[in-house]
Amino acid sequence: MSHQKSIVGCGSASSPTTSDIKNPIVGTWAANALLRWIGQIDVAVSAPVALVDAVKSGVIASYEEFKSVALDVYDKLNNDYNLDDLVPIYRIRREIGERVSREKFNKWLVEMQADDILQLIAGEIPDFTSDKREDSISIPGTQLRSYAKRLS
């Protein structure tokens, strides 16, 4: 009975040792070899699963991809909310969400301005809370940028 308990418990054990199974009927050497093999499979599978999760969540990995997604989001927000071509940057950031880091979002949005795709505009947003301010873009040496306007 103790070998069944050990085998059932081995799925939750992160790194089984040779002292996990001590039943001479099963053959300790065979059971321990099986546990080591299962432990190796568990480690080998965990990396591809993480990669698949990253692809499923739609992580944005390049400036070109970000540019495409940001323009799609801009157009969607502009059309859905009749924003008259002045889309709040905090709304773009929140729509894209965790697909890109804050640092890359800021860098790539400023790069889109440098490429004359968007103009980042200073201005007060109605009900401008601290979280909306934080989700806008602060460019060193200039005013806080609150809105994006598509140029091309």
Side-chain angles (χ1 to χ4, degrees):
M1 194 65 145
S2 66
H3 70 281
Q4 288 176 337
K5 194 181 237 181
S6 295
I7 290 172
V8 170
C10 79
S12 63
S14 59
S15 59
T17 64
T18 56
S19 64
D20 287 341
I21 298 177
K22 296 184 185 218
N23 189 334
I25 297 172
V26 173
T28 306
W29 63 273
N32 288 326
L34 177 63
L35 287 174
R36 281 192 297 278
W37 181 69
I38 290 170
Q40 289 172 350
I41 290 173
D42 197 23
V43 171
V45 169
S46 64
V49 168
L51 182 60
V52 168
D53 288 344
V55 170
K56 280 184 184 176
S57 66
V59 173
I60 299 171
S62 70
Y63 169 67
E64 290 302 318
E65 184 181 1
F66 174 81
K67 185 168 56 171
S68 173
V69 170
L71 291 174
D72 288 346
V73 168
Y74 175 94
D75 290 339
K76 178 185 179 296
L77 291 171
N78 191 42
N79 292 330
D80 290 355
Y81 296 99
N82 297 320
L83 296 173
D84 199 27
D85 296 321
L86 286 176
V87 177
I89 293 170
Y90 81 88
R91 284 190 165 188
I92 297 171
R93 184 187 303 272
R94 291 176 183 181
E95 188 76 24
I96 292 174
E98 299 296 318
R99 296 178 62 193
V100 67
S101 70
R102 293 184 69 80
E103 180 183 317
K104 284 185 179 176
F105 179 92
N106 293 347
K107 178 184 174 197
W108 287 338
L109 209 62
V110 170
E111 193 170 333
M112 288 178 73
Q113 177 173 265
D115 291 342
D116 291 327
I117 298 167
L118 291 176
Q119 180 181 5
L120 305 179
I121 301 171
E124 283 296 314
I125 292 178
D127 302 323
F128 208 30
T129 60
S130 61
D131 62 318
K132 290 178 183 177
R133 182 178 304 277
E134 186 178 315
D135 285 345
S136 295
I137 290 194
S138 182
I139 302 171
T142 66
Q143 289 181 310
L144 180 73
R145 303 299 186 207
S146 305
Y147 294 97
K149 180 176 180 145
R150 189 171 183 161
L151 299 176
S152 59

